[in-house]
Amino acid sequence: MRLRALLETEALGLRLLGGEDELDRTVRGVMTTDLRDPSRYLAGGELVLTGLAWRHVPEDSEPFVRILASAGVVGLAAGEAELGSVPADLVEACVRHRLPLFSVTEAVAFATITEHVVRQVSGERAGDLAAVVDRHRRLMTSGPTGGGPEVVLDLLTTDLDLHAWVLSPVGRQIAGSDTPLPLGVGPALAAEHLAASRTGRRSPHRVLLGGTTYSLFPIRDASRPESAALAGTAASRDVRESVLSDWLLAVEADAGDWPAARLDLLQGVTQLISVERDRRDAARTVRRRLAQEVLELVQAGAAPAEIAARLRVAAPVLLPGLGAAPHWQVVVARVEWDGGAVESGPAAQALLEEILVDPTIPADSMAAAAEPADRIAVAHSGEEAIALVPLPAVSADVPEGDESPGLHAETLLAAVQAPLSGGLSDDGRLTLGVSAPVHSAEGLRGALEEARHARRVAAARPGRVAAAGHHELASHVLLLPFVPDDVRRAFTARLLDPLRDYDRRHRAELIPTLEAFLDSDGSWTRCATRLHLHVNTLRYRVGRIEQLTGRDLSRLEDKLDFFLALRMS
């Protein structure tokens, strides 16, 4: 709005004392102050209201007006209640600095002027932003890309002074306006949003964290009719099908007293972001198909050469530019709900794509990462989601069984337990299983079985979210009669497949060497004699076995593991 419009509004009781040529200035805000220097609170474009309590002598007017003009204030309105009239020294100072000056009659409260300005400015901004958002909507629907959610969030900042962030279900920042959320706030907001969604509370959900109020808006699936979902008709889907995979929009503001027009505008913004997410999901179709093809080959018992060929196709898609063939890990996830038939496979698939971005980095500090989720291939079979995670190949001197590289169940659990528990409420569970890294197609089947068994171990634990890793599958449990055959096979494959693969490629006879070494009770001399080898050659082979498996054949525990694996193979 312009200053002239204020002067023409009789109810505001304004009288122009100077600056008639500047009445076309645009008012972008209003501020009331009696500070001598209010510059730290000014952003430019404000109409400043003052009761003149800062003025003790005539010389005070010049520095006060100079500060306002330098800060970009568009006008000054002085109340008459303090001094009975506006002093001439203030009028002269405003003339020198070309700052329009108004007097406010004692009968009109500053609150009346403030409310009028805020209402007018907010309405105009909302209208302007609605037009811009509408243009952006047309761009996104007609062109190959609309620039991503960052474009819309920038509009919220520049046109409505609203800071907003798009968050994943676990609080990872997907997009943001100008500054990242404080540490820990993203997961906390996600937890509050999921809990509110499960209770059926109407959005936006308002949350107070660290003295700041946030309003949370769900970003629903663009392919799902919004009206049906809100109306709760028979056509609407069970909220549990998507609650763990939907994004949310967090706005740093209290939307409790927003007019309907602004709420509608924010709902439009969430629809735009929903369309953008739908595009990203479509772009992940290739990676999902690659994962599905590899896993189908693995489960069907395909030849290792066929699986390896498919992995070579997948590697450059998931890790472009990587020189060496990567190692792989398998993560299995399952979401289960009490009662009722709830389709959870696709939701578990989308959830894995979010939480496996990089669990070694806090979920709310990954805004700078460029689509890291695009390096993960996730398939789903029934209610189970299976992720094929590529890892950069470790150097030759790092044992494959080393615990340092790759994903760890404890890290995943720490990243998702708090935010997702609210969405699971009292009728849902998420269980995760993580395999050890493997470096060949031969080891992939064992990794899949290992991840599945680890997930079953997690399912036996309490809590709404549970995870288990390969290191928790201690070899001694294999002696227990209730352990399934596939678990025994998984253990054997992970321990012996690297040696079998090496033997096939190099004819190194590591498996026979291992058997002879164990049968000789670890005696270098007896074993070398039995194999007709020089002791140094035997030491080289044993060293290669230890390097490929990450085990130490001088340790009793590792000897026992190899003994069991060989007997069960």
Side-chain angles (χ1 to χ4, degrees):
M1 66 177 301
R2 302 189 184 279
L3 284 174
R4 190 181 305 279
L6 293 175
L7 188 62
E8 294 170 353
T9 305
E10 295 184 4
L12 300 181
L14 297 178
R15 183 165 61 93
L16 183 64
L17 301 180
E20 185 175 359
D21 295 339
E22 307 293 335
L23 291 180
D24 286 327
R25 292 184 177 185
T26 300
V27 180
R28 297 188 178 276
V30 61
M31 175 188 176
T32 300
T33 184
D34 277 314
L35 296 174
R36 288 176 176 269
D37 181 3
S39 58
R40 72 182 67 180
Y41 305 109
L42 297 170
E46 295 94 347
L47 170 68
V48 170
L49 309 177
T50 180
L52 301 176
W54 50 267
R55 180 185 178 278
H56 301 293
V57 295
E59 289 74 20
D60 291 339
S61 294
E62 170 62 26
F64 180 79
V65 174
R66 183 173 62 251
I67 289 170
L68 298 187
S70 298
V73 169
V74 298
L76 175 64
E80 298 178 346
E82 182 75 15
L83 302 178
S85 63
V86 178
D89 49 89
L90 181 58
V91 176
E92 294 168 1
C94 287
V95 170
R96 282 194 296 273
H97 291 280
R98 301 179 63 82
L99 183 66
L101 176 64
F102 304 88
S103 66
V104 182
T105 179
E106 187 175 352
V108 177
F110 282 175
T112 301
I113 301 174
T114 299
E115 182 180 354
H116 178 82
V117 172
V118 169
R119 185 167 58 249
Q120 294 298 317
V121 170
S122 297
E124 291 174 4
R125 286 181 178 174
D128 292 342
L129 182 57
V132 177
V133 168
D134 184 63
R135 288 197 299 273
H136 189 71
R137 179 185 287 110
R138 290 196 295 271
L139 283 173
M140 292 181 70
T141 54
S142 63
T145 179
E150 292 85 357
V151 175
V152 183
L153 299 186
D154 287 343
L155 294 176
L156 290 177
T157 301
T158 57
D159 285 53
L160 284 182
D161 296 328
L162 291 176
H163 299 285
W165 301 266
V166 177
L167 303 177
S168 77
V170 294
R172 178 176 70 90
Q173 183 174 317
I174 297 167
S177 47
D178 49 354
T179 56
L181 283 167
L183 186 65
V185 170
L189 291 177
E192 293 283 352
H193 172 73
L194 290 173
S197 298
R198 286 305 315 278
T199 59
R201 282 164 43 196
R202 189 176 183 85
S203 65
H205 312 129
R206 289 174 289 159
V207 179
L208 179 63
L209 287 178
T212 302
T213 299
Y214 299 90
S215 296
L216 310 179
F217 297 81
I219 299 175
R220 294 188 170 89
D221 186 351
S223 63
R224 176 157 50 115
E226 185 69 14
S227 57
L230 290 178
T233 65
S236 65
R237 294 165 56 185
D238 192 316
V239 67
R240 295 177 295 180
E241 291 185 17
S242 61
V243 67
L244 298 182
S245 57
D246 282 345
W247 288 356
L248 67 136
L249 176 68
V251 181
E252 188 180 324
D254 188 344
D257 57 354
W258 280 6
R262 179 171 285 201
L263 289 173
D264 290 343
L265 177 62
L266 266 293
Q267 294 294 348
V269 168
T270 64
Q271 292 172 14
L272 290 183
I273 298 172
S274 170
V275 171
E276 182 64 20
R277 182 183 184 180
D278 192 52
R279 276 209 178 91
R280 295 188 183 190
D281 285 345
R284 291 174 181 164
T285 301
V286 173
R287 290 181 295 280
R288 289 174 174 175
R289 187 172 66 248
L290 284 172
Q292 195 72 43
E293 291 174 353
V294 171
L295 292 170
E296 286 176 356
L297 289 174
V298 170
Q299 294 181 104
E306 187 178 357
I307 299 173
R310 183 58 58 186
L311 286 176
R312 284 194 294 272
V313 173
V317 175
L318 299 176
L319 288 179
L322 189 68
H327 290 202
W328 302 93
Q329 264 186 292
V330 176
V331 180
V332 173
R334 188 180 181 95
V335 177
E336 297 172 290
W337 302 99
D338 296 340
V342 180
E343 185 182 8
S344 58
Q349 179 184 44
L351 185 60
L352 270 188
E353 288 174 336
E354 293 293 347
I355 67 178
L356 294 181
V357 169
D358 189 346
T360 63
I361 303 174
D364 52 358
S365 66
M366 292 187 284
E371 288 305 311
D374 289 348
R375 296 183 173 185
I376 297 163
V378 185
H380 79 84
S381 176
E383 302 302 300
E384 185 180 68
I386 305 168
L388 188 63
V389 183
L391 306 171
V394 297
S395 60
D397 58 347
V398 177
E400 180 175 331
D402 195 331
E403 289 288 310
S404 58
L407 303 171
H408 296 278
E410 301 85 356
T411 309
L412 288 178
L413 184 62
V416 305
Q417 188 171 32
L420 292 184
S421 294
L424 292 162
S425 188
D426 57 355
D427 61 346
R429 291 204 73 203
L430 168 67
T431 50
L432 299 161
V434 183
S435 79
V438 295
H439 79 292
S440 65
E442 286 83 354
L444 205 54
R445 182 178 180 183
L448 175 59
E449 296 298 339
E450 187 174 62
R452 280 176 165 161
H453 181 58
R455 192 206 63 79
R456 290 194 288 269
V457 170
R461 295 174 175 170
R464 290 293 159 191
V465 183
H470 60 91
H471 62 282
E472 298 180 68
L473 307 183
S475 59
H476 64 271
V477 303
L478 300 172
L479 300 175
L480 302 178
F482 63 80
V483 176
D485 289 341
D486 59 352
V487 177
R488 301 170 190 262
R489 289 194 300 270
F491 174 79
T492 302
R494 181 161 69 86
L495 203 57
L496 299 183
D497 279 359
L499 306 182
R500 291 168 176 155
D501 179 56
Y502 192 87
D503 281 348
R504 269 192 294 269
R505 288 185 286 113
H506 301 284
R507 298 182 179 180
E509 298 187 347
L510 296 185
I511 292 290
T513 300
L514 175 62
E515 292 175 329
F517 187 76
L518 295 177
D519 287 345
S520 301
D521 296 325
S523 169
W524 296 101
T525 303
R526 293 208 314 270
C527 183
T529 301
R530 177 175 175 176
L531 295 174
H532 307 290
L533 296 175
H534 191 279
V535 173
N536 288 343
T537 302
L538 176 61
R539 290 186 185 277
Y540 172 81
R541 288 187 183 181
V542 171
R544 178 63 67 181
I545 292 170
E546 292 176 333
Q547 182 184 69
L548 290 171
T549 61
R551 301 301 184 106
D552 182 353
L553 280 167
S554 67
R555 298 176 69 246
L556 176 61
E557 295 89 340
D558 288 342
K559 287 179 182 177
L560 177 59
D561 281 356
F562 278 122
F563 176 83
L564 290 171
L566 289 168
R567 291 298 179 271
M568 291 188 296
S569 63

